[in-house]
Amino acid sequence: MDQNNNVAQIKEALDIVQVVGSYVELKQTGKNFSGKCPFHQEKTPSFIVSPDLQRYKCFGCGASGDIFNFVQNIESLDFPETLEKLAKMAGIEIKQFEGNSTFKSLEEINYLATQYYYNELKKDPQASKYIEERGFTKESIKSFGIGYAPRKPQLLKFLNRHAKYNTQLLLNSGLFVEKEKVVKEKFYDRIMFPIRSKRGKVIGFTGRIMPGNNWGPKYMNTPETPIFHKKDNLFGQYESRQEIRKSDIAIVCEGSTDVISAHQHGVKNIVAPLGTSLTREQLEVIRSLTNNVFFFFDSDTAGKAALVRAFKLASELKMNPYAANASPYKDIDEMLQKEHDKFVKLTEERMEAFSFILKDFLLDKDLNRLNNIEEIRKVADSLLESVKDPVTKNHYIERLSSIAKIQYQEEKTNKNETLKKLDKQKQFPVKTKAYDIEERYICLLLLVSPITVSSILDKKYLSEGLSRRIVTLLESQETDITKDLLAELINKDSSIKDKYEELIFNADKFIADKMSLQEQLDFCIKRLKGTYLENRQKEIKVKIAMAEEIGDNEASEKLLLELLKINKILKELT
Ligand SMILES: [Zn+2]
């Protein structure tokens, strides 16, 4: 069970450039290495490997991670297999594979448990009757391996007939609990749905309570175990994988029973998270099969919130999110039973999740009222914020205008610029991000060493939350600002860590510039101050005009003085 130890040891022994380099042709570019991304089709390289961070990142598709993520994804392995493969590469002793035999035993226990529960279902008339009433067919029972954990389960006895598993292993399987030093079974009087890994191995279960049993929650999952991590797995990921690939879209619904009943109705490109909200890792599982994801959540408040979250995650991963809900029905299951055609129509029409969310939000709004417009703008802004792909973003902005008849002036004027930027990026072999001046400032601030106090701008010059937080943290330190301080900052705020990581991946862009880092930094400071002052100028001019309008000479004179002061500072700046 020294899994963490093994991971650390392997990371110590292997270099990411070497590991990735055995799959991808890498070229050194400054501090980093770059090559064509193995996770998406591309002609020019946007895949960067940083030896400093021992991580990779693709600026085309967003794939990123360490050697474990890389090997796991490129070889389509599960974690234990990845561990085994990398341990071999690293030449780490056989002794280290004890952990791996634990994984094998845990898979074996889950496999045997599936058999046991499956046979118990056949034996129990009440459970069989319930399954039938719920509409599950014999075919589903077989293909999903649906079973039943009896009221007085004998799984332990069943396992003992095959092998002697030690107590720790049994507890690690998540199928047993220890109460007053006695090993007891976790699941009883529940319909058992096996959860399979991407490769089809049973790694856990979802147990649905039988009617009349009021012990525990309605649905109970295997807890986290060495082979089962809820956040990395989806119900149906194995059973639906081929159809997802074939149809090039994955439907994400709320629960495992929805997945099974959809399969029965011929809809086989469907998965569900395991009792928690959808995670980024789960979306990455889908992304390895298709870029298109169709969210089909409940129409209640929780479902709506889940959809917004899912939209943001998918957009950050540059996937294409679509959405619908089962309204007026309770869930997919009911809709498929009562109005199968409607479901088919919804999936064929594929409304974009962005439009779906906004339309839903607009249902009870009167757009002739100003605060309603403000509200929709807020909702749209928060959605647009997570859209990483500029072309998609502009597409959404156009959608927004047509849905809400709102003109997004600012973004519209920026559109040409965005497109120009895109063109420009195409000319570079490595598509690094185009930074705006404020981001450049923060990047440079964190890259220069030492950071001088005069380089730390006052917050008023900065608009973005993160930049403001960074300068506040820097300000709060006393003198002697060094790289060590940065480590400290990173500890204090994990969003700074993400930013810093991004910078390291882009560091070459700054280092390669003709100007020194400090010169570039000074340039950014000037620009930021300039922009701030120009805006102040405009504000004051408006105020002066207003003051003159109402004949308030005293105020207008005061404002005029301030304006002159600003003009002077601006002149000195340029
Ligand atoms: Zn990529």
Side-chain angles (χ1 to χ4, degrees):
M1 291 316 311
D2 302 87
Q3 197 181 315
N4 287 336
N5 228 344
N6 281 338
V7 170
Q9 221 179 334
I10 289 168
K11 281 189 172 174
E12 192 67 32
L14 294 174
D15 179 51
I16 191 159
V17 177
Q18 217 181 338
V19 174
V20 173
S22 66
Y23 295 90
V24 181
E25 200 183 312
L26 291 175
K27 245 182 68 192
Q28 184 154 18
T29 46
K31 285 179 88 174
N32 297 326
F33 290 78
S34 67
K36 282 182 200 164
C37 176
F39 301 115
H40 84 280
Q41 284 284 330
E42 63 175 1
K43 290 204 178 86
T44 54
S46 21
F47 182 81
I48 298 179
V49 179
S50 159
D52 285 351
L53 292 169
Q54 286 291 308
R55 289 178 73 80
Y56 64 92
K57 187 180 176 86
C58 171
F59 287 88
C61 68
S64 72
D66 57 16
I67 42 172
F68 282 87
N69 305 115
F70 183 82
V71 170
Q72 191 164 0
N73 287 325
I74 202 155
E75 299 268 7
S76 297
L77 301 176
D78 56 25
F79 189 74
E81 290 171 319
T82 310
L83 193 66
E84 188 177 330
K85 190 168 174 87
L86 284 170
K88 261 186 200 153
M89 270 194 206
I92 288 171
E93 293 288 315
I94 308 285
K95 195 175 125 260
Q96 308 295 333
F97 285 106
E98 268 169 27
N100 185 46
S101 75
T102 307
F103 290 130
K104 285 242 159 69
S105 305
L106 289 175
E107 280 178 1
E108 199 174 275
I109 291 172
N110 275 285
Y111 171 75
L112 291 169
T114 310
Q115 266 190 353
Y116 170 74
Y117 294 139
Y118 181 76
N119 289 326
E120 287 304 308
L121 177 63
K122 281 193 214 157
K123 282 194 242 165
D124 191 291
Q126 241 184 320
S128 296
K129 190 172 156 245
Y130 171 74
I131 284 279
E132 202 180 305
E133 277 168 9
R134 286 287 310 234
F136 292 128
T137 60
K138 284 213 171 72
E139 206 196 336
S140 292
I141 295 171
K142 230 176 162 176
S143 62
F144 282 91
I146 302 171
Y148 173 60
R151 282 194 189 176
K152 291 195 176 105
Q154 303 286 325
L155 175 61
L156 188 55
K157 225 186 226 171
F158 183 81
L159 291 176
N160 279 336
R161 260 188 263 151
H162 290 81
K164 278 271 171 262
Y165 298 106
N166 67 46
T167 307
Q168 194 50 51
L169 200 62
L170 291 171
L171 294 176
N172 277 339
S173 76
L175 297 171
F176 299 92
V177 287
E178 196 169 32
K179 273 188 191 142
E180 287 142 21
K181 302 237 162 124
V182 182
V183 174
K184 290 193 167 162
E185 305 205 9
K186 184 172 172 69
F187 294 95
Y188 57 90
D189 203 22
R190 281 176 185 269
I191 299 297
M192 300 295 282
F193 302 99
I195 300 162
R196 289 188 169 80
S197 72
K198 276 160 264 173
R199 288 169 42 259
K201 293 253 161 70
V202 175
I203 49 177
F205 292 88
T206 294
R208 196 218 182 267
I209 214 159
M210 281 286 284
N213 170 354
N214 54 13
W215 186 84
K218 189 170 161 197
Y219 288 94
M220 189 160 83
N221 287 313
T222 297
E224 294 288 300
T225 77
I227 60 168
F228 178 59
H229 306 287
K230 259 184 230 150
K231 74 170 180 42
D232 295 334
N233 288 286
L234 290 152
F235 188 84
Q237 60 190 358
Y238 178 72
E239 292 84 349
S240 302
R241 76 197 187 290
Q242 277 168 342
E243 200 58 32
I244 290 174
R245 239 190 231 123
K246 222 165 85 190
S247 58
D248 195 20
I249 187 164
I251 301 171
V252 178
C253 64
E254 292 212 357
S256 36
T257 50
D258 285 338
V259 171
I260 298 172
S261 75
H263 267 248
Q264 287 181 180
H265 284 90
V267 180
K268 294 183 175 178
N269 55 333
I270 183 164
V271 289
L274 298 161
T276 55
S277 51
L278 195 69
T279 66
R280 189 186 170 90
E281 289 82 357
Q282 288 165 340
L283 277 170
E284 279 171 347
V285 171
I286 294 174
R287 199 179 55 175
S288 70
L289 302 167
T290 176
N291 233 350
N292 303 309
V293 59
F294 195 131
F295 300 118
F296 215 106
F297 296 149
D298 293 351
S299 48
D300 56 9
T301 322
K304 283 177 187 174
L307 175 60
V308 169
R309 223 184 87 85
F311 169 86
K312 289 183 177 176
L313 280 175
S315 300
E316 278 166 14
L317 289 171
K318 295 189 181 169
M319 294 174 82
N320 310 315
Y322 302 90
N325 65 36
S327 168
Y329 303 105
K330 188 165 76 27
D331 48 28
I332 287 198
D333 195 13
E334 198 187 7
M335 181 182 248
L336 282 168
Q337 281 176 31
K338 295 197 173 137
E339 217 178 332
H340 186 264
D341 292 351
K342 187 169 175 187
F343 180 82
V344 175
K345 204 170 150 238
L346 283 176
T347 52
E348 277 170 359
E349 279 171 1
R350 278 197 194 185
M351 189 189 281
E352 283 168 345
F354 181 78
S355 307
F356 183 85
I357 295 168
L358 287 182
K359 279 196 173 149
D360 190 58
F361 181 80
L362 283 170
L363 273 181
D364 55 351
K365 300 281 181 299
D366 172 7
L367 282 179
N368 289 320
R369 296 184 45 183
L370 192 65
N371 50 357
N372 279 336
I373 292 180
E374 286 299 312
E375 258 179 82
I376 179 105
R377 233 182 249 266
K378 243 186 235 163
V379 174
D381 277 343
S382 86
L383 293 177
L384 287 169
E385 206 178 31
S386 47
V387 180
K388 291 281 177 257
D389 181 50
V391 177
T392 309
K393 194 171 187 163
N394 279 315
H395 165 74
Y396 285 155
I397 289 164
E398 269 165 22
R399 275 262 177 284
L400 172 66
S401 315
S402 72
I403 294 168
K405 315 271 182 316
I406 290 178
Q407 289 290 318
Y408 243 68
Q409 285 306 352
E410 224 175 287
E411 286 283 353
K412 275 248 159 110
T413 46
N414 278 341
K415 188 177 165 187
N416 286 332
E417 216 171 282
T418 316
L419 290 174
K420 255 189 250 157
K421 262 188 206 164
L422 272 182
D423 275 348
K424 232 178 170 184
Q425 280 176 359
K426 274 186 199 138
Q427 295 160 12
F428 292 116
V430 175
K431 269 188 266 170
T432 42
K433 200 180 141 194
Y435 286 98
D436 69 22
I437 202 82
E438 187 165 325
E439 279 179 306
R440 277 184 78 91
Y441 164 71
I442 290 293
C443 294
L444 289 160
L445 189 62
L446 296 178
L447 284 171
V448 292
S449 175
I451 305 170
T452 56
V453 180
S454 62
S455 299
I456 302 174
L457 273 176
D458 191 281
K459 277 194 293 296
K460 70 181 178 198
Y461 297 115
L462 303 166
S463 62
E464 206 212 328
L466 182 63
S467 343
R468 285 179 165 221
R469 278 212 304 288
I470 292 177
V471 294
T472 311
L473 278 169
L474 288 171
E475 261 169 6
S476 67
Q477 304 297 325
E478 302 189 347
T479 50
D480 227 23
I481 297 170
T482 62
K483 284 279 174 215
D484 291 343
L485 171 72
L486 187 63
E488 206 179 297
L489 293 182
I490 290 166
N491 270 335
K492 279 190 192 153
D493 193 328
S494 70
S495 53
I496 295 183
K497 176 180 162 285
D498 293 341
K499 192 81 195 169
Y500 184 62
E501 198 177 288
E502 189 190 315
L503 298 180
I504 295 288
F505 280 114
N506 283 296
D508 302 324
K509 199 177 170 188
F510 294 95
I511 292 162
D513 207 285
K514 269 179 286 176
M515 290 197 279
S516 77
L517 290 177
Q518 188 61 50
E519 279 170 335
Q520 290 182 61
L521 185 60
D522 292 341
F523 172 79
C524 289
I525 291 171
K526 258 188 196 171
R527 280 282 304 273
L528 283 167
K529 282 186 177 167
T531 311
Y532 169 82
L533 291 169
E534 276 160 17
N535 285 334
R536 282 289 295 153
Q537 253 182 342
K538 274 182 213 151
E539 270 170 43
I540 292 171
K541 276 180 190 163
V542 172
K543 278 188 189 161
I544 290 174
M546 274 164 68
E548 280 171 353
E549 185 77 29
I550 56 169
D552 186 347
N553 288 335
E554 200 184 325
S556 94
E557 259 168 47
K558 232 173 157 182
L559 287 162
L560 204 61
L561 278 177
E562 203 183 336
L563 187 64
L564 289 173
K565 219 162 87 188
I566 290 174
N567 288 349
K568 197 175 156 231
I569 303 171
L570 255 173
K571 230 181 195 167
E572 281 167 5
L573 261 181
T574 50

